[in-house]
Every structure is written in structure tokens, then in C-alpha cells.
Amino acid sequence: MAATVEIDEANSAGETLTHNISDTDMGSADSATVDPVASPITPGNNTYEKWQKIHVTAMGGSSKIDNLQVWRTGALGGAATHKTNARTTSYAGAASFTTPTASASTFTQTMPTSDPAAANLGIGGSLTGSLTATGSSDYLVHQIQTNAADTAGSTSTMNYQYDETA
Amino acid sequence: MATNICGVCKNSYTTEEQYVSHVCGVTGRTPAEAAHFGTNFLRQSKEALRRSGSLSEEKEAAIDAEIEAAQADDVDDKLMRAHLEE
């Protein structure tokens, strides 16, 4: 068969892990199921950081999962920016979980808006790392930082890609 | 100890192992079974294998069989309904 892979999100100081999230909801609350209507972002403010990871729950007979690539497709609207720790070079190693914040994230790379064509999220702290058994990637941390002149109503697509070797 | 929540059935577990071995009340499968994630995931699995040159005819046939089983069980519809309730 094939490996089973899901996207997990960690929230709150207790690092509560919601497994197999269906989407990335970014707003003014630290939750895996943020309601954008109930928790909108005031223009000029940031969303809460998202701390997510790619989790292999079973190898399904495959030998390796690697080459993790993450990017966003679709415009944010206005002058909003999307910051992350994901990067294809000079990767800073695995990010250690801290309580998600709506203050400006310490991670300042710009989320790619097309396939980066190379790993930009590490495993075991390295972009050349791999999973040969069940386990998770490094944390992907990202945040949208809005501008005071931005208006509401933006939907885009997060892409999470991996290679699987039989 | 961190809490592990199934994003589909919303049940909580103390350990990740407990989460991976639970039978999801929505899909009727565990998170270690590919069909638990629906047909889109299964199709993406083929592409993940293809990128590494690992998609053999045997593997593809096995994944196609899982897609058929998931379709027969309406897994995609169950997942959609569960997420609409969030």
C-alpha cells in the first residue's frame, strides 16, 4: 500500500495536538478550528502563529518519506504578508514549540507562493532528513501579518508535498 | 502530557499511540489506514510515490483498490460532513 500522512496542528501552552486537520484557519484565536467570522483579524494586526507538522502515522510498506515542500497559492489581498520558518537554504533547524502568539513571529522568511522545487521543511532538524518509520517533521511555523489598509475576505491554498519511496 | 485530538471524530487521547490506534467514529478506520483519509489523499499518495520513481503497477493497483473501498464506504462524504460541523 502507501504510507499514511496527515497534517497536525499544535495549539495553546499545553501543545494540544489536533491530528489530520482539514484546513488552516488563520485568525485572532489560537485554535485549529478558528472561525474567521467569530475571530477576525483587525487590519494591521497579525494572525496567531500556526504550528503545524507533517505526521506519518504508518509507513504502509514504504521505506522513506522525505523532500518536504510547503507553499501557498492564491493572493492574500492588500499588503498582507505571510511569514514562516520554511526555507530551502540556511535552514535554522527544528523550531522548538512555544505558545502560539499574535505578536510578530520570530520567524521571518516569506512563505513561497509557488512550488519551491526543493525541501523547505526539515525532518530531525535537517532539510535532507527523512522518516523511515512513523514520526513527524519539524514544526512548520507561519503567520499572516496584515496592513491597516487591508480589507477582509481572502482565501488561499496551503500546499504540503512529500516524496515517498517504496 | 500533551492531548492528542482526532481532527475528524474530535475524540481526545493522552498519547499519540492511542490516537493512531483508535477506530475513528466517522470513518470506521484507524489513522494508520490510508482509506481513513479519503480518496483525495489516496490519489496524492500515488503522486508522492511517482515523484520518487516508486509507483509500481502493483502499488498503483493496491492504491486503486483502496480508493474503490473508500468510495464504496462513502468516506469522502463522511469526512466532509464531519468538517462541516466544526
Side-chain angles (χ1 to χ4, degrees):
Chain A
M1 250 306 292
T4 45
V5 182
E6 62 183 21
I7 308 301
D8 299 343
E9 179 172 317
N11 304 97
S12 80
E15 200 174 358
T16 297
L17 204 58
T18 300
H19 292 262
N20 192 18
I21 59 172
S22 60
D23 50 27
T24 296
D25 299 321
M26 306 188 79
S28 57
D30 176 22
S31 166
T33 55
V34 171
D35 177 350
V37 176
S39 302
I41 309 159
T42 300
N45 288 357
N46 310 315
T47 68
Y48 271 85
E49 290 175 321
K50 288 289 171 178
W51 286 75
Q52 299 172 336
K53 47 188 175 180
I54 295 173
H55 176 204
V56 177
T57 58
M59 290 302 290
S62 291
S63 63
K64 184 175 64 172
I65 298 290
D66 66 355
N67 194 18
L68 306 182
Q69 299 179 22
V70 182
W71 71 96
R72 186 196 81 250
T73 46
L76 293 177
T81 57
H82 193 178
K83 298 299 184 183
T84 183
N85 64 327
R87 57 195 301 174
T88 56
T89 58
S90 304
Y91 186 66
S96 295
F97 182 79
T98 57
T99 306
T101 178
S103 299
S105 177
T106 57
F107 302 104
T108 58
Q109 296 300 298
T110 298
M111 179 68 75
T113 53
S114 61
D115 186 341
N120 64 350
L121 177 63
I123 296 170
S126 169
L127 294 177
T128 60
S130 63
L131 286 165
T132 57
T134 58
S136 296
S137 68
D138 297 344
Y139 269 116
L140 167 72
V141 190
H142 58 120
Q143 177 188 62
I144 291 176
Q145 299 175 349
T146 71
N147 184 276
D150 292 342
T151 55
S154 168
T155 301
S156 51
T157 301
M158 282 297 297
N159 301 273
Y160 306 82
Q161 179 177 288
Y162 60 92
D163 290 353
E164 179 173 344
T165 303
Chain B
M1 187 174 288
T3 300
N4 293 268
I5 300 171
C6 175
V8 180
C9 69
K10 311 306 180 192
N11 285 336
S12 296
Y13 302 90
T14 304
T15 69
E16 197 164 274
E17 291 70 28
Q18 289 171 341
Y19 158 73
V20 173
S21 63
H22 90 285
V23 176
C24 179
V26 173
T27 66
R29 293 169 167 80
T30 73
E33 298 176 71
H36 167 72
F37 298 93
T39 60
N40 281 341
F41 167 76
L42 288 161
R43 293 188 180 94
Q44 290 164 24
S45 287
K46 288 205 278 187
E47 296 311 307
L49 286 161
R50 199 188 308 275
R51 281 189 290 271
S52 73
S54 296
L55 186 61
S56 65
E57 284 187 14
E58 187 180 59
K59 276 269 185 188
E60 186 163 16
I63 294 173
D64 286 342
E66 284 286 330
I67 290 173
E68 287 182 16
Q71 287 172 331
D73 217 16
D74 288 328
V75 172
D76 291 348
D77 185 67
K78 292 173 183 176
L79 289 171
M80 181 191 68
R81 290 176 185 279
H83 291 309
L84 281 175
E85 291 172 7
E86 289 178 355

